[in-house]
Amino acid sequence: MNMLTKLLAIALSASALIFASAASAQEAPDVLVKRISEDVLNTAKNDKEIQSGNINRIVALVEEKILPYVDAERMTALAAGRFWRQATPEQQKQLITEFRSLLIYTYSGALSQVRDQKIEYRPLRADPADTEVEVRSQVIQSRGEPIQLSYRLEKLPSGWKMYDVNVMGAWLVEAYKGTFNSEITKGGIDGLIKSLSDKNKQLAARSIAKK
């Protein structure tokens, strides 16, 4: 292969990568949520390690297929509310890290219960120019009533990302806001960081005990 051919191959490869990134960024929010949800559910249902309760495999699935589409920084900032601006950059970084870990265990706990559930999606009520939308769905189970499940997403230069989840009428961020405020009132930002760290250690210990 001569130099001109090599340069042409590199240029075509780069163009393909740029096009793929652009296509991903332009993916509609409801299409994105459906793709991720179906991918995660199908993997959870068909992976014997996940079905047997292998927490390491479940955590790996969450980190690989869910977290890249979650805006953990915005979720943390919203949960911290007015206290977020009072935190130093280092404290903000620590809060994001601990809250991200908490989200991993939260999602992992839900995935460990996946068996024969199916998801139905509601029509998206949004304008093409909207930069924030809500995607609504419900989880259909073989027993019991459907579980209402909604996602709030924001449009970033890199594409749509989730920043809040609603399960049966309760938004995750709002649920954590009360806990965050309580911990900050008692022990400041560092107190909240310690509380989240202790919680994550407890969840990690439980996960190891289940192996």
Side-chain angles (χ1 to χ4, degrees):
M1 182 183 293
N2 59 40
M3 182 58 67
L4 181 59
T5 304
K6 286 183 179 180
L7 290 174
L8 180 60
I10 292 172
L12 289 173
S13 298
S15 298
L17 288 173
I18 293 171
F19 178 79
S21 298
S24 176
Q26 293 168 5
E27 188 175 24
D30 54 335
V31 175
L32 173 67
V33 169
K34 183 174 182 179
R35 176 172 64 79
I36 297 171
S37 299
E38 295 297 333
D39 188 13
V40 170
L41 272 183
N42 289 333
T43 301
K45 289 178 181 177
N46 298 313
D47 191 309
K48 293 181 179 179
E49 290 295 317
I50 289 178
Q51 289 296 307
S52 66
N54 186 322
I55 190 62
N56 289 333
R57 180 69 189 99
I58 296 172
V59 168
L61 176 63
V62 173
E63 291 183 326
E64 176 188 351
K65 297 185 180 292
I66 297 178
L67 285 188
Y69 302 98
V70 173
D71 188 345
E73 180 174 350
R74 182 171 181 183
M75 289 187 78
T76 309
L78 288 173
R82 60 188 176 87
F83 296 106
W84 180 253
R85 296 187 183 88
Q86 299 175 17
T88 66
E90 180 58 32
Q91 287 175 324
Q92 290 179 348
K93 182 179 178 181
Q94 289 178 302
L95 280 175
I96 293 170
T97 298
E98 295 298 341
F99 193 49
R100 185 177 181 276
S101 295
L102 187 59
L103 289 174
I104 290 175
Y105 288 117
T106 300
Y107 279 116
S108 297
L111 286 177
S112 66
Q113 306 300 316
V114 169
R115 293 297 180 268
D116 60 352
Q117 294 90 337
K118 297 180 181 179
I119 301 179
E120 291 183 352
Y121 303 89
R122 305 289 178 82
L124 179 65
R125 297 177 180 176
D127 186 273
D130 288 345
T131 57
E132 296 202 7
V133 301
E134 180 180 329
V135 176
R136 299 176 300 151
S137 66
Q138 60 180 1
V139 180
I140 307 300
Q141 310 178 91
S142 58
R143 296 181 180 180
E145 294 294 318
I147 299 174
Q148 302 305 311
L149 188 62
S150 300
Y151 303 89
R152 282 176 176 160
L153 296 91
E154 61 178 335
K155 190 174 186 180
L156 300 174
S158 58
W160 290 94
K161 286 200 173 187
M162 295 177 280
Y163 67 89
D164 206 353
V165 181
N166 185 309
V167 181
M168 300 178 67
W171 287 102
L172 183 67
V173 166
E174 193 64 31
Y176 276 115
K177 185 176 290 185
T179 302
F180 276 31
N181 287 347
S182 176
E183 292 296 337
I184 292 174
T185 300
K186 289 190 298 183
I189 300 295
D190 286 334
L192 173 59
I193 293 171
K194 184 180 185 305
S195 174
L196 290 173
S197 177
D198 291 343
K199 179 67 174 177
N200 286 327
K201 288 176 182 177
Q202 291 174 7
L203 292 171
R206 290 177 191 171
S207 299
I208 293 173
K210 290 180 181 179
K211 289 183 181 180

